[in-house]
């Protein structure tokens, strides 16, 4: 039997036991893994170096190398995230509905683990530890499939996770890495409905697109963020600038960064040059519609594709709009249903924006950069859902659970 | 543009307006449709007769013809279900999470419609009215794709629904029927991610399987029920018989009927013949494992396939098991994760069964036939989910909603 199927089968066999594991047992495992990480820093760095060397000789960009790189600090951060996770409430077993029916049946709906989770991700070794620990905390078994460019790092991290698990009562097969990083194996994973309960892709738009298109296993779609900020006619000048600069430049490579600013024409009349000045000072390159280009010659013409692009760098699309309705219809046409903000002092416009924009997270007078499980107070995050089923927006521990109805009777039959 | 895409596009354009419709407007539409159904009974019956005639000449079974058939009583029942639905609480707008973060951001998560729902179903015209009304109540647009064998009935029912909607403020395009019932069009619908937010298949195992395998639009998997009843060693004799007879024979063609009984060998020693007598008296045909066949020669040998089959008739598989663990492992191997019951007076065994059986609904000392939105007190049901994401078990109105985070700030930026 091949590696994927035999590991997936093993994971499935464990689901009952993992679901029945106590919060204490799971937390102990997390703490043991945290300790194992701290004690194995030199080994992890040595293995990570192999991936970095290969990446460099394959001409990886600095950004990509940075995501791939582990350091003593980064490993210590992972270790401390694990002990923090151990302190969070365990959602498993929580009762989300209770009722006694007229016929005496007692109904209860309780949270249970999803079962076996397949993670498919790119060259970010931190996802290995993140995903493994969140799945452990929620009693799920996880099958990790990272990219070939991080294979040494991932193998080392999973080895260290297993060292931790061996000192706990949780079997090490709760966390398994698929070492065969071929595309064929990934595509087999998409169709492994007999063993996997859900697939979570983490990475760029094309990876996520491919999983959504090809998978028959249910998918939790995460992450692509083509986020907009709409500066309304009544927007307070300095607040609008501060929020836009923050959302665009504080960390441009992440999904909750701003990719297009929509500026109300009335506001633009008074403040457009100061906005453009400030953006250019922060190194932002602007691509605009005809109206924006007319207002400021430092802006180059945007293409149709630019409106739909998640730039993930310091490029920003700019469009002058005539109304809140105009802004809403642009966002619903080009947005990726992630995070959208309105800067306005007009409560009718805010209400309209909240009602008609179709996205996971909507902001009034705040930066889109807050869309994040930690900023939301969830204490953890497995990704940001941009789909509508199951979970929307930042997904914390609860998103990694399903439910079960438990019904107590005393002989009831249906008439 | 073809029918499917143009209707799907129209549906998507309506989502904002439908999401913003008040509960009163939606309820008024439901009442108007109810009235339209009552006033159009002769027309509906005449159109339904065309489908019945075609079905008969195509050699449809009596069971299939019965599902296809409408009658004055059945139409009146539909009409009264609509007025009852109008009286239920509207989940849209409900707040499911609220928090104020240390930085002053006010977070709120509210229920919103899913958007556009694609229903794919077989020759049951009642699903047309059911699905349309549940989607209307929850502010969703719906694209209905029924089977060709019910096309006259479905066209008539959607025409009547439109008559009702024309007397309300809800646009008639909230409910649209795809009149092209070709397989190619259905398969295009599976991939219409740009317009559809979710697909709900309703029908037999092969229809559901095909949607799950081929769709890239997220699917709410419903319905296949290979349900088991486990009679433990301590099961009370007459209770076990009553529950099994009810679960198997009260309505054998539905998904929550029992398909396999697992009998503890100790219980079988005392009560097996009386169980078999009672089942045979009720017209049940038994297929058993070697042990069961040895105990009673009226039982024929079951094939491997029988254990995995949803018979939907009076056939029942019978297996003698040695323990609750044995029963659990059989259920987890062959079950469809729908509804599973244990009849027992041993609370440890019940606890074990509840913990380790992986299914949407678990019963102690009650019939599996109760897995139903109305029996659960939800007042409505769009189907029974056998998957783990989004909703599990009977899906009422809440299962037809997603959520949106609404965040109020006063200039917050991320540091």
């Amino acid at each position: 039997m091949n590696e994927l199927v035999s590991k997936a089968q093993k994971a499935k066999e464990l689901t009952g036991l993992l679901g029945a594991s106590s919060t204490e047992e799971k937390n102990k495992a997390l703490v043991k893994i945290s300790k194992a990480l701290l004690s194995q820093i030199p080994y992890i760095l040595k293995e990570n170096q192999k991936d970095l060397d290969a990446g460099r000789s394959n001409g990886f960009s600095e950004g990509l190398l940075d995501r791939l790189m582990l350091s003593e600090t980064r490993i210590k951060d992972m270790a401390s995230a694990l002990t923090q996770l151990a302190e969070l409430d365990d959602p498993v077993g929580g009762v989300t509905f209770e009722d006694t029916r007229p016929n005496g049946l007692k109904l209860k709906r309780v949270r249970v683990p999803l079962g076996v989770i397949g993670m498919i991700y790119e060259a970010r070794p931190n996802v290995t530890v993140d995903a493994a620990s969140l799945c452990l905390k929620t009693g799920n078994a996880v099958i990790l499939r990272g990219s070939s460019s991080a294979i040494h790092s991932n193998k080392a991290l999973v080895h260290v996770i297993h060292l931790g698990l061996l000192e706990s009562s949780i079997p090490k097969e709760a966390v398994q890495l698929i070492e065969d990083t071929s595309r064929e194996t990934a595509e087999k994973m998409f169709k492994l409905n007999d063993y996997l309960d859900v697939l979570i892709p983490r990475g760029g738009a094309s990876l996520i697109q491919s999983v959504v298109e090809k998978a028959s296993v249910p998918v939790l779609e995460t992450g692509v963020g083509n986020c907009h900020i709409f500066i309304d006619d009544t927007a307070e000048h300095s607040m609008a600038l501060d929020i836009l600069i923050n959302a665009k430049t504080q960390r441009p490579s992440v999904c909750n960064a701003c990719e297009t600013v929509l500026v109300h024409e009335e506001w633009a009349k008074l403040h457009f040059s100061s906005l453009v000045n400030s953006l250019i000072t922060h190194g932002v390159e602007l691509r605009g519609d005809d109206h924006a280009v007319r207002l400021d010659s430092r802006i180059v013409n945007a293409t149709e594709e630019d409106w739909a692009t998640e730039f993930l760098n310091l490029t920003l699309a700019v469009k002058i709009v005539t109304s809140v309705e105009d802004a809403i219809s642009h966002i619903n046409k080009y947005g990726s249903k992630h995070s959208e903000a309105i800067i306005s002092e007009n409560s009718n416009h805010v209400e309209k924006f909240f009602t008609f924009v179709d996205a996971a997270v909507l902001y009034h007078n705040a930066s889109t950069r807050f869309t994040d499980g930690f900023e939301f107070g969830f204490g953890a995050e497995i990704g940001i859902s941009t789909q509508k089923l199951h979970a929307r927006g930042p997904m914390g521990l609860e998103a990694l659970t399903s439910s079960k109805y438990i019904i107590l009777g005393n002989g009831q039959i249906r008439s």
Side-chain angles (χ1 to χ4, degrees), chain A:
Chain A
M1 200 183 309
N2 68 38
E3 184 202 6
L4 174 66
V5 174
S6 85
K7 287 185 174 172
Q9 210 166 52
K10 221 171 272 171
K12 188 167 168 88
E13 283 164 18
L14 276 186
T15 52
L17 189 140
L18 292 174
S21 299
S22 70
T23 303
E24 291 65 36
E25 289 175 291
K26 295 185 287 187
N27 289 343
K28 188 182 165 195
L30 293 172
V31 171
K32 292 290 183 186
I33 295 170
S34 172
K35 288 192 176 139
L37 280 170
L38 292 175
S39 73
Q40 298 288 331
I41 291 177
Y43 163 65
I44 297 169
L45 291 180
K46 196 187 80 197
E47 295 302 305
N48 180 241
Q49 192 58 49
K50 295 180 187 168
D51 290 330
L52 289 171
D53 292 345
R56 234 173 240 114
S57 56
N58 286 323
F60 278 22
S61 71
E62 281 310 309
L64 209 53
L65 289 169
D66 181 60
R67 289 187 200 176
L68 189 55
M69 189 189 68
L70 296 173
S71 64
E72 189 167 331
T73 314
R74 287 183 178 184
I75 298 171
K76 284 181 175 164
D77 285 349
M78 287 176 182
S80 95
L82 281 160
T83 56
Q84 283 165 35
L85 183 59
E87 281 156 29
L88 292 182
D89 286 342
D90 182 354
V92 174
V95 176
T96 59
F97 174 80
E98 238 174 333
D99 194 21
T100 301
R101 303 299 306 149
N103 62 7
L105 283 180
K106 288 184 203 310
L107 268 68
K108 202 162 80 172
R109 187 174 60 207
V110 297
R111 285 193 194 279
V112 297
L114 284 167
V116 183
I117 294 175
M119 287 291 306
I120 298 185
Y121 54 105
E122 293 179 335
R124 294 191 172 209
N126 64 309
V127 174
T128 304
V129 178
D130 264 18
S133 57
L134 292 170
C135 290
L136 274 175
K137 176 82 187 192
T138 45
N140 290 291
V142 66
I143 298 289
L144 300 163
R145 197 281 192 186
S147 85
S148 58
S149 55
I151 189 68
H152 294 98
S153 313
N154 288 337
K155 279 164 86 168
L157 288 168
V158 171
H159 175 68
V160 173
I161 289 169
H162 287 171
L163 293 178
L165 287 176
L166 287 172
E167 292 191 46
S168 78
S169 59
I170 309 287
K172 72 181 179 31
E173 290 81 7
V175 178
Q176 294 178 96
L177 177 73
I178 302 301
E179 299 187 5
D180 168 2
T181 57
S182 68
R183 168 182 285 234
E184 292 68 41
T185 297
E187 299 206 345
K188 272 189 199 126
M189 200 166 155
F190 296 174
K191 308 269 183 194
L192 221 56
N193 296 55
D194 283 347
Y195 304 113
L196 301 182
D197 292 291
V198 56
L199 282 178
I200 307 180
R202 287 274 303 263
S206 75
L207 169 75
I208 291 168
Q209 198 52 28
S210 153
V211 176
V212 167
E213 268 168 26
K214 296 177 187 161
S216 51
V217 175
V219 176
L220 277 180
E221 191 175 344
T222 66
V224 175
N226 181 19
C227 306
H228 300 73
I229 287 180
F230 166 50
I231 300 177
D232 198 9
D233 52 354
T234 57
E236 207 265 287
H237 174 230
S238 68
M239 188 195 285
L241 261 62
D242 289 349
I243 289 176
L244 180 61
I245 297 296
N246 181 257
K248 182 67 230 174
T249 69
Q250 193 245 357
R251 204 172 163 203
S253 66
V254 292
C255 62
N256 55 21
C258 176
E259 306 293 5
T260 297
V261 61
L262 304 169
V263 185
H264 194 290
E265 57 182 358
E266 294 303 323
W267 193 91
K269 280 181 191 161
L270 297 171
H271 309 298
F272 197 62
S273 349
S274 98
L275 182 79
V276 173
N277 286 342
S278 175
L279 286 164
I280 288 176
T281 308
H282 283 84
V284 177
E285 181 207 313
L286 295 162
R287 304 190 187 169
D289 68 339
D290 291 344
H291 192 158
V293 173
R294 272 204 310 280
L295 289 179
D296 197 308
S297 62
R298 291 170 294 178
I299 302 173
V300 301
N301 274 102
T303 62
E304 174 66 15
E305 208 192 329
D306 285 330
W307 306 117
T309 300
E310 187 188 24
F311 297 110
L312 297 173
N313 60 30
L314 284 173
T315 310
L316 178 69
V318 191
K319 185 178 158 74
I320 307 294
V321 295
T322 56
S323 62
V324 63
E325 290 81 8
D326 197 7
I328 292 167
S329 94
H330 180 94
I331 294 171
N332 284 343
K333 181 166 179 193
Y334 295 104
S336 62
K337 300 188 167 66
H338 192 293
S339 301
E340 309 293 351
I342 176 172
I343 321 295
S344 176
E345 299 300 317
N346 179 325
S347 59
N348 287 334
H349 289 186
V350 175
E351 191 52 37
K352 206 165 254 182
F353 191 87
F354 283 173
T355 304
F356 289 98
V357 172
D358 184 16
V361 190
L362 301 174
Y363 291 92
H364 174 225
N365 290 352
S367 169
T368 53
R369 288 279 294 112
F370 289 106
T371 301
D372 173 285
F374 295 91
E375 293 293 334
F376 276 33
F378 299 166
E381 185 195 285
I382 191 83
I384 292 168
S385 164
T386 52
Q387 66 173 36
K388 292 189 181 174
L389 288 186
H390 189 68
R392 208 172 184 200
M395 296 188 286
L397 295 174
E398 284 184 1
L400 293 176
T401 65
S402 180
S403 61
K404 212 183 220 185
Y405 284 96
I406 298 290
I407 299 182
L408 304 180
N410 47 26
Q412 282 84 348
I413 59 172
R414 191 156 166 195
S415 51

